[in-house]
Amino acid sequence: MLSAIRRTAVVLALATGLVGGAGAAAQAVVNPVTPQSVCGTGYVVRDQDPIHHAQTGERLGTVYLMHNPLLGYACTATVKTAYVGTLTRTQVYLAAQFLPTQTDDGSRLYAAGPARAYARGGCTIWGGFMADPSGAIHYHDRANPAIGGIGTCF
């Protein structure tokens, strides 16, 4: 009788552990990267635009435009909210007036960036995208096809 009770207790303990473990595994992974950690000290968010999966509408990440008012530099970063910790193509770019376009593009675990350029007194075009694990590319919501991104003046 005592051995039957022990077996039952072991089975219940294992079942509880498996259910608890499955629930923990199903939780979303939180991205430890922030736009401030990508761009650095002194940068504040000036604008942001989410990236949604074109078919499902799932939020994949956000493209951030940041500005350092003391230095006059702009910085962009694409921070993932889906597929965090999984290598997927992630891109961010920043094109400041009269300067070459700065781009960070590649397979990333958490974020793309920084892309920095001097922007005081000028305008920029900025944006980015993310790919899902199948390789399909999803652009940020306000991406303007005529200019390739969003225009912002400082």
Side-chain angles (χ1 to χ4, degrees):
M1 175 79 170
L2 191 55
S3 64
I5 293 172
R6 283 187 194 145
R7 277 194 302 263
T8 304
V10 169
V11 169
L12 286 174
L14 286 172
T16 304
L18 291 175
V19 171
Q27 292 177 355
V29 177
V30 176
N31 194 335
V33 174
T34 65
Q36 289 81 6
S37 69
V38 173
C39 288
T41 305
Y43 283 89
V44 293
V45 175
R46 173 77 185 261
D47 199 356
Q48 60 186 324
D49 197 26
I51 301 170
H52 287 96
H53 192 285
Q55 285 73 40
T56 67
E58 174 191 12
R59 188 169 185 151
L60 303 179
T62 303
V63 183
Y64 293 90
L65 172 66
M66 303 190 68
H67 183 247
N68 185 319
L70 183 63
L71 302 176
Y73 275 79
C75 177
T76 54
T78 299
V79 178
K80 296 167 66 168
T81 53
Y83 317 120
V84 175
T86 302
L87 286 172
T88 57
R89 186 174 176 199
T90 308
Q91 184 197 78
V92 69
Y93 64 88
L94 176 64
Q97 204 168 358
F98 308 117
L99 295 172
T101 299
Q102 303 298 310
T103 304
D104 183 34
D105 184 356
S107 293
R108 303 288 185 263
L109 294 171
Y110 302 103
R116 286 191 189 92
Y118 187 76
R120 182 173 284 151
C123 297
T124 63
I125 297 173
W126 58 279
F129 64 76
M130 281 182 58
D132 58 35
S134 74
I137 292 176
H138 307 278
Y139 293 92
H140 58 102
D141 292 357
R142 293 185 290 152
N144 181 333
I147 61 173
I150 301 171
T152 303
C153 295
F154 293 89

